[in-house]
Amino acid sequence: MTQKSPISGFDYVIPKPDAETIRKSIVYKMIFILGVDPKDATEHQWLNAAMLAARDLIAEDFLRTRRAHIDNSKRMVYYLSMEFLLGRAFVNALINEGVYAEFEKAFKALGKEFADVCEQEEDPGLGNGGLGRLAACFLDSLATLRIPAMGYGIRYQYGMFKQEIVDGQQVEKPDLWLDQDLSWQFARPNKQYSVGFGGQVINFGDRKEWTPGEEVSAWAYDEIIPGYGGEVANPLRLWTAHAGNLFDLADFNRGDYSSAVRAQNSDENISRVLYPNDSTDSGKELRLKQEYFLVSASVQDIVARHKCRFSDIRTLADEVAIHLNDTHPVLAIPELMRILIDEEGLAWTEAWNICCKVFSYTNHTLMSEALETWPVDLMGRLLPRHLDIIFEINAYFLNALRAIGSFDDDFVSRVSIIDETHGRRVRMGWLAVIGSHKVNGVAKIHSDLMVNTIFADFAKVFPERFTNVTNGVTPRRWINIANPPLTAFLDKHLGKGKKNDWRMHLDNLTKLNELVDDAAVQTEFGEVKKAAKVRLAKYIETELGISVNPDALFDIQIKRIHEYKRQALNVMHIVDRYNKILENPDADWQPRVFIFAGKAASAYYMAKKIIRLINDVAKVINNDERIRDLIKVVFIPNYSVSLAQIIIPAADLHEQISLAGTEASGTSNMKFALNGAVCMGTLDGANVEILEKVGAEHCYIFGNTVEQVEAIRRKGYDPMSYIEKDSDLRRVVNQISHGTFSPEEPNRYGDVLQPYGDFYQLMADFRSYIDTQYKADAHYRDAAAWRKSALVNIANMGFFSSDRSIADYCRDIWYIKPLTAKELPSSN
Ligand SMILES: *Cc1c(COP(=O)(O)O)cnc(C)c1O
């Protein structure tokens, strides 16, 4: 907590960060901003008032930062993403500003329970899974590292959905996160851009002009993202769709109320909900409109800011980097081309050179069914000028290839942006690669596979374009906020001085390696872990009425529910263990609590069925007295960042069991290891690098490698051959498929374990998975050895800080330099 110099040139009531001033500021906000008598205020109103008081502190940082960018003509990076899975903002802001203790004191003086007030905040509904959470960790690191940066996204009114479990099944309810009525984001009513759809392209010979048939207005809201250390804060600009002038007063006056608002409603649907990005989507057209809406408003804003600061559009690439988080915002490329050519009057080649320097793209998946393509017809109808530009980009690219002469027709049609084999579709991934100067994967193994599989052809054309940046997570949220006892433990053993602070320099965790064999330190860590397990056990008891034993091994798999992540394999292990305990009840079994959480995309039949299977298995096993609590199975509903913050610190073992070659990186694996849990995983995504850092004695790896999976596929995978030769497996498959866990409907899970011939090879990895699980049991029994492994995991996670990822991006992809202490107006 340092007193900073005020915004210069004006005299105002400066928001000082001491408990006394904070207390008064909170009461002031209650009375004068919210108009509420503090005597009557609800907990929620106290939260709102406190957030306004906290926002004052970060607003000054934000304005100072912005001024420093302008005064020093800083090159900026813009991060475009359809999702930002931010989690709660309040405590994060307090910790990053260094004022948590002062706010706590202020609430004590007000006679309020601070923790209860903080619990009032709901997570923003702005993201779905790992991709969105990555964007959120990156925003935290960008601000912490003082990088001149800004995020752009959509302000979804209803988020994705709130998950409830009814009779074991997922039910989707609207996520009314904006109804919580917190005045946290700054509305920017002066930042409005018109976003067009449809209409015609008029050809004037030397130039073209697009006249949209429909226009939607994009309004900006800024969420301020404070960096750790309280010096820099960057904006995340979120767009809302407004129909503006579409309200038809004539209809309304005639008494036709529904016509008066119909067009308005349909346009405003654009920012209504987030579609989960990992299923066969319904509402394709709306999704495409959303993507263009995000991109058009953001690129217009970026161009306007550049012209305001530098007055020459031709220098755009010198001052600006735009990053595309997956293919969803790739229309930014033709949108910038359109603006440069149609509006700014640049020639094609000049515009294209600017684009290729400005854009970079992160690939997040190798699964071809998840790579976005759009029907040419649909794109032509909604975005006729952009389709034109895409055709032209493609023509230039293919002509250049043909001119080289060494690529045959087959090759040329494979790399064409237009896929002619599936009813003419625009391949967004291809457009991204062609229009970017750098393309990165998100873990070493993923980046290698990327250039050997989906982008193998492009790697021949642009070998220097492809690179890797392994994902990371922010230690501020994933240790400091999520795990206060571990935070205290690390501060005690590593020191908290500015140079030592592990929050900023996560590599300093390696010093723990000297302590991992110290019995006293191990015991101390045992207490840290126990506290987190007790906290989670209480949550489970309160929310679900299930009691779990905090001394049992907590075995946790939390992530979106998807066949490739193989939650079903986890269930197969549980069922096999159940069978073995019944067979041999007197053996010395290690009690385990299996914990699941995760949402299934609403249109994803099989994923929803897997949720139901988990709950059916839980019902049978949890209620079987013969099991005597040796197994407990818990599915915690409505997985979110806030839930992850309670669950992750409590893990002993975390399940990262995707089929090798399918998980690009994963980031929950990093969060778990950072909190002292041991990995049970395949050689997939970032598990490979975690293994490299912590060593094979402290990490359980099982199953086939990417090469083995491939070889099995080439030979013709036969799941039956595994089932026939393994009687345990045979029994598990029979039980699940024939109603042991759904006696009222024996066929319920007849289709779950081997759809499309067991595409994700559960049967092939079953035996190795089971055997490895029993090794982990034996290890866990030796408490000292297990705690040592947990500590070794923490000690070697420094590499997986999102600060390291962002430093990589800045150096290798964006060519961006942080604000120096000199450039930042003094903070004394
Ligand atoms: C970290 C995180 C994810 C990503 O989890 P993976 O296991 O890497 O897929 C998804 N959702 C939330 C809420 C997270 O915090």
Side-chain angles (χ1 to χ4, degrees):
M1 185 199 63
T2 47
Q3 177 60 52
K4 288 172 274 200
S5 57
I7 309 278
S8 63
F10 292 89
D11 191 19
Y12 60 101
V13 180
I14 294 155
K16 296 201 176 80
D18 62 277
E20 188 58 16
T21 316
I22 287 166
R23 179 180 59 77
K24 287 185 190 156
S25 171
I26 294 170
V27 176
Y28 180 94
K29 302 293 184 194
M30 188 68 86
I31 297 171
F32 294 102
I33 310 293
L34 303 180
V36 172
D37 184 337
K39 281 204 197 68
D40 306 331
T42 62
E43 306 276 87
H44 191 269
Q45 286 163 331
W46 281 111
L47 171 67
N48 203 356
M51 286 183 83
L52 286 167
R55 196 181 70 168
D56 287 355
L57 298 168
I58 62 174
E60 274 189 312
D61 294 338
F62 160 62
L63 295 179
R64 264 192 299 267
T65 303
R66 182 179 158 277
R67 177 66 51 201
H69 294 161
I70 296 171
D71 290 350
N72 298 287
S73 304
K74 294 297 281 189
R75 177 175 162 84
M76 305 263 307
V77 58
Y78 298 102
Y79 197 86
L80 269 56
S81 180
M82 285 289 275
E83 297 182 32
F84 290 90
L85 197 57
L86 297 167
R88 289 173 176 161
F90 180 51
V91 169
N92 181 249
L94 301 187
I95 284 178
N96 280 7
E97 280 296 304
V99 293
Y100 184 88
E102 304 302 315
F103 269 71
E104 209 174 19
K105 269 189 236 156
F107 270 92
K108 204 165 204 169
L110 288 165
K112 292 275 146 205
E113 195 53 60
F114 185 50
D116 293 348
V117 171
C118 297
E119 279 299 308
Q120 295 290 312
E121 188 183 354
E122 280 188 50
D123 286 26
L126 298 173
N128 160 36
L131 172 150
R133 185 53 230 173
L134 183 77
C137 281
F138 281 1
L139 290 180
D140 184 80
S141 287
L142 284 163
T144 299
L145 295 177
R146 308 168 170 205
I147 306 303
M150 184 165 168
Y152 280 106
I154 295 179
R155 189 170 183 260
Y156 302 103
Q157 189 180 359
Y158 300 124
M160 189 171 64
F161 61 81
K162 193 164 169 264
Q163 181 193 55
E164 289 180 10
I165 301 296
V166 179
D167 296 332
Q169 292 178 271
Q170 169 174 298
V171 175
E172 299 101 26
K173 293 282 167 68
D175 173 6
L176 306 173
W177 71 283
L178 280 173
D179 285 9
Q180 62 185 324
D181 193 30
L182 295 174
S183 330
W184 177 250
Q185 296 172 352
F186 287 102
R188 302 291 190 200
N190 63 329
K191 295 282 178 207
Q192 295 185 14
Y193 296 95
S194 174
V195 176
F197 294 99
Q200 280 102 44
V201 178
I202 302 166
N203 196 339
F204 293 101
D206 58 337
R207 65 181 192 91
K208 289 184 177 175
E209 199 177 284
W210 176 33
T211 324
E214 177 193 353
E215 284 179 88
V216 180
S217 182
W219 294 15
Y221 286 79
D222 287 347
E223 167 114 13
I224 306 303
I225 309 289
Y228 180 74
E231 289 181 336
V232 161
N234 291 333
L236 165 59
R237 180 154 288 179
L238 299 167
W239 302 107
T240 306
H242 276 267
N245 58 7
L246 284 178
F247 175 74
D248 193 324
L249 192 61
D251 275 347
F252 195 82
N253 287 340
R254 240 185 290 119
D256 188 355
Y257 304 123
S258 53
S259 290
V261 295
R262 190 172 296 135
Q264 187 174 14
N265 267 332
S266 116
D267 284 342
E268 294 183 356
N269 278 341
I270 288 178
S271 55
R272 211 76 80 186
V273 292
L274 162 68
Y275 292 104
N277 66 4
D278 52 6
S279 72
T280 42
D281 292 334
S282 53
K284 284 269 179 212
E285 177 169 333
L286 190 54
R287 170 80 182 190
L288 181 58
K289 279 180 135 180
Q290 285 186 322
E291 293 183 355
Y292 179 63
F293 174 77
L294 163 66
V295 147
S296 174
S298 308
V299 173
Q300 289 183 67
D301 197 38
I302 292 165
V303 167
R305 183 174 308 106
H306 176 78
K307 283 168 72 174
C308 170
R309 289 188 186 175
F310 299 97
S311 57
D312 183 0
I313 191 67
R314 289 180 166 76
T315 64
L316 188 76
D318 301 332
E319 313 299 343
V320 163
I322 302 179
H323 197 79
L324 308 172
N325 193 26
D326 211 335
T327 55
H328 320 134
V330 165
L331 284 170
I333 296 170
E335 174 67 354
L336 182 58
M337 286 297 281
R338 183 188 68 80
I339 291 174
L340 293 179
I341 295 169
D342 297 359
E343 294 182 6
E344 301 294 334
L346 266 56
W348 178 276
T349 315
E350 193 173 17
W352 183 245
N353 286 340
I354 291 175
C355 272
C356 292
K357 281 187 196 152
V358 162
F359 288 107
S360 51
Y361 152 67
T362 296
N363 172 269
H364 284 272
T365 179
L366 302 171
M367 291 190 289
S368 51
E369 69 275 18
L371 278 181
E372 269 190 313
T373 61
W374 292 106
V376 165
D377 290 350
L378 175 62
M379 180 114 33
R381 188 152 49 76
L382 283 183
L383 300 167
R385 179 60 180 133
H386 298 79
L387 183 62
D388 253 13
I389 291 172
I390 291 170
F391 280 147
E392 210 160 329
I393 293 172
N394 201 35
Y396 272 98
F397 172 63
L398 298 183
N399 284 338
L401 277 189
R402 290 193 189 99
I404 295 171
S406 51
F407 301 105
D408 61 26
D409 286 351
D410 204 34
F411 184 95
V412 171
S413 76
R414 284 204 307 271
V415 296
S416 168
I417 298 172
I418 309 301
D419 180 357
E420 308 279 356
T421 58
H422 296 85
R424 298 204 90 202
R425 302 178 74 93
V426 182
R427 293 160 161 155
M428 302 306 277
W430 281 205
L431 178 57
V433 173
I434 294 166
S436 299
H437 68 283
K438 288 281 175 190
V439 175
N440 75 286
V442 289
K444 264 196 239 163
I445 185 175
H446 166 67
S447 297
D448 289 345
L449 289 169
M450 183 175 78
V451 295
N452 290 317
T453 60
I454 45 167
F455 295 147
D457 290 332
F458 287 104
K460 293 197 182 92
V461 184
F462 308 118
E464 72 303 328
R465 198 164 286 196
F466 294 91
T467 183
N468 172 249
V469 178
T470 299
N471 282 167
V473 299
T474 168
R476 274 76 65 182
R477 184 172 294 271
W478 295 111
I479 299 181
N480 198 348
I481 301 177
N483 199 343
L486 181 59
T487 299
F489 173 91
L490 294 177
D491 283 340
K492 175 177 161 194
H493 293 290
L494 303 174
K496 213 193 158 179
K498 221 174 175 181
K499 275 224 193 75
N500 282 327
D501 195 345
W502 50 268
R503 294 167 187 78
M504 297 271 265
H505 310 284
L506 201 60
D507 280 330
N508 288 353
L509 290 176
T510 52
K511 282 191 230 150
L512 276 184
N513 278 315
E514 295 156 25
L515 305 174
V516 298
D517 289 308
D518 181 325
V521 174
Q522 289 171 356
T523 306
E524 204 184 328
F525 177 74
E527 280 154 23
V528 166
K529 184 56 77 179
K530 180 75 180 277
K533 291 170 76 173
V534 168
R535 179 176 70 165
L536 178 59
K538 277 197 188 126
Y539 179 89
I540 292 171
E541 175 85 59
T542 318
E543 297 294 318
L544 304 171
I546 301 173
S547 88
V548 300
N549 174 10
D551 292 319
L553 186 163
F554 279 23
D555 174 337
I556 303 186
Q557 186 174 24
I558 51 173
K559 47 184 77 241
R560 288 175 298 112
I561 311 294
H562 201 294
E563 286 159 283
Y564 86 81
K565 290 175 181 282
R566 301 202 295 189
Q567 280 91 356
L569 182 60
N570 190 343
V571 173
M572 289 166 74
H573 164 232
I574 297 170
V575 172
D576 181 63
R577 181 172 287 249
Y578 174 61
N579 293 332
K580 302 252 175 69
I581 293 175
L582 292 182
E583 247 170 29
N584 195 358
D586 299 326
D588 189 14
W589 294 100
Q590 171 58 48
R592 279 205 198 202
V593 179
F594 293 90
I595 295 167
F596 294 84
K599 292 178 180 175
S602 54
Y604 191 171
Y605 165 85
M606 196 56 79
K608 291 171 103 167
K609 206 148 198 190
I610 291 168
I611 291 177
R612 191 174 193 189
L613 172 63
I614 294 167
N615 284 307
D616 273 346
V617 166
K619 194 161 78 182
V620 169
I621 297 182
N622 294 352
N623 293 314
D624 189 332
E625 280 165 16
R626 297 169 298 173
I627 295 302
R628 298 158 289 144
D629 290 354
L630 292 172
I631 302 178
K632 272 277 160 84
V633 183
V634 182
F635 187 97
I636 305 180
N638 203 35
Y639 185 46
S640 63
V641 172
S642 289
L643 205 48
Q645 289 172 200
I646 307 173
I647 298 174
I648 289 172
D652 295 305
L653 194 66
H654 58 113
E655 303 280 338
Q656 309 295 345
I657 59 179
S658 51
L659 176 69
T662 61
E663 186 76 270
S665 163
T667 48
S668 77
N669 43 6
M670 303 168 187
K671 300 169 200 164
F672 278 110
L674 200 50
N675 278 277
V678 174
C679 179
M680 171 66 65
T682 48
L683 280 176
D684 201 18
N687 297 352
V688 176
E689 287 159 83
I690 291 175
L691 168 69
E692 240 170 59
K693 305 283 179 204
V694 306
E697 321 88 281
H698 310 292
C699 186
Y700 286 97
I701 296 296
F702 72 94
N704 287 322
T705 61
V706 171
E707 292 74 22
Q708 289 167 326
V709 168
E710 277 305 307
I712 289 173
R713 284 221 171 115
R714 264 196 311 273
K715 268 195 349 223
Y717 175 55
D718 176 16
M720 281 314 293
S721 67
Y722 296 89
I723 295 172
E724 275 157 16
K725 68 179 183 237
D726 187 328
S727 59
D728 291 339
L729 173 59
R730 195 157 59 240
R731 178 166 58 176
V732 168
V733 171
N734 278 329
Q735 288 169 308
I736 292 174
S737 310
H738 297 127
T740 301
F741 303 98
S742 54
E744 65 282 17
E745 189 190 342
N747 272 332
R748 184 176 293 160
Y749 301 111
D751 59 353
V752 169
L753 290 184
Q754 295 178 71
Y756 345 106
D758 188 20
F759 187 76
Y760 295 105
Q761 300 192 2
L762 282 71
M763 309 304 149
D765 279 346
F766 175 85
R767 178 47 49 199
S768 145
Y769 183 50
I770 301 296
D771 293 347
T772 310
Q773 288 285 9
Y774 286 101
K775 288 184 195 151
D777 280 334
H779 187 172
Y780 188 78
R781 291 247 160 100
D782 181 345
W786 186 269
R787 286 168 187 161
K788 173 178 172 174
S789 286
L791 286 166
V792 169
N793 270 270
I794 300 174
N796 295 289
M797 279 306 110
F799 176 78
F800 298 100
S801 168
S802 46
D803 296 349
R804 190 270 314 148
S805 309
I806 286 300
D808 288 354
Y809 278 102
C810 287
R811 189 188 57 241
D812 300 337
I813 296 180
W814 301 330
Y815 318 124
I816 294 264
K817 294 247 157 39
L819 278 170
T820 62
K822 250 202 211 128
E823 288 168 334
L824 208 58
S826 70
S827 57
N828 38 6

